[in-house]
Amino acid sequence: GGLKAASENIIATAEKIAREQGLDLSDAATQARATASYTEEIVELANSVLSNGYYSADGLFSGYDVDELTSLDFEIVQGANYADLAGAIYADDVVSEVHELEHSVVTTGISKDVQWLISDHLTDDGVMERVLTIKGFDATDAEVDRERLV
């Protein structure tokens, strides 16, 4: 699967095109294999730079206490949830968007031309959490005095 399967598909497609155009099959396949091999080398290099260049003993962050996170780690999931909530305040129907994120809207408002939202939700361990979301400046926001902000 993955990169190897994609490489094989590239080669097969190149061979098919060469046959349809009456070209030398061996030359087209050789070029496709070279392209696929080069792509594999680039991916391997990128993976090496990311894993060794950042996390190894002599990597970019070697002098720091760096933990590698996965997409299932609490910090990543929590950050993604808050990013979704931050994006919801820009939606046309803020309340529906916030409800889809399993938050209850406590109140919304505008103070000094800055829109804000307060919501409640239950954390994974059953604790009620209150969240304040502040909307950044948005030139398309009809709810605030855009001329005064400029």
Side-chain angles (χ1 to χ4, degrees):
L3 187 58
K4 185 145 183 84
S7 297
E8 291 170 1
N9 287 340
I10 291 170
I11 294 167
T13 302
E15 289 175 340
K16 179 181 175 217
I17 292 170
R19 267 193 304 277
E20 289 172 355
Q21 295 181 359
L23 301 173
D24 180 10
L25 232 76
S26 62
D27 186 42
T30 300
Q31 289 179 8
R33 281 188 185 88
T35 300
S37 175
Y38 178 69
T39 303
E40 287 175 18
E41 290 173 14
I42 289 174
V43 170
E44 286 176 22
L45 175 64
N47 284 334
S48 174
V49 166
L50 291 175
S51 61
N52 296 329
Y54 284 99
Y55 300 112
S56 68
D58 58 347
L60 183 62
F61 297 111
S62 61
Y64 300 91
D65 182 22
V66 175
D67 291 327
E68 191 170 353
L69 300 173
T70 69
S71 62
L72 299 177
D73 286 332
F74 173 78
E75 294 85 356
I76 299 296
V77 172
Q78 192 73 357
N81 289 340
Y82 288 129
D84 285 341
L85 188 59
I89 200 167
Y90 291 89
D92 291 332
D93 186 358
V94 175
V95 173
S96 293
E97 290 289 323
V98 171
H99 286 168
E100 283 184 29
L101 298 171
E102 298 181 359
H103 282 246
S104 296
V105 175
V106 176
T107 188
T108 62
I110 298 174
S111 300
K112 299 284 185 181
D113 288 320
V114 175
Q115 189 173 353
W116 50 266
L117 160 78
I118 296 176
S119 62
D120 286 342
H121 76 109
L122 288 176
T123 63
D124 289 340
D125 52 357
V127 175
M128 178 69 76
E129 183 177 62
R130 181 157 283 180
V131 180
L132 169 63
T133 306
I134 300 172
K135 183 176 183 179
F137 175 71
D138 179 4
T140 64
D141 191 352
E143 300 295 319
V144 299
D145 185 353
R146 292 174 283 197
E147 288 78 21
R148 194 165 71 92
L149 287 174
V150 177

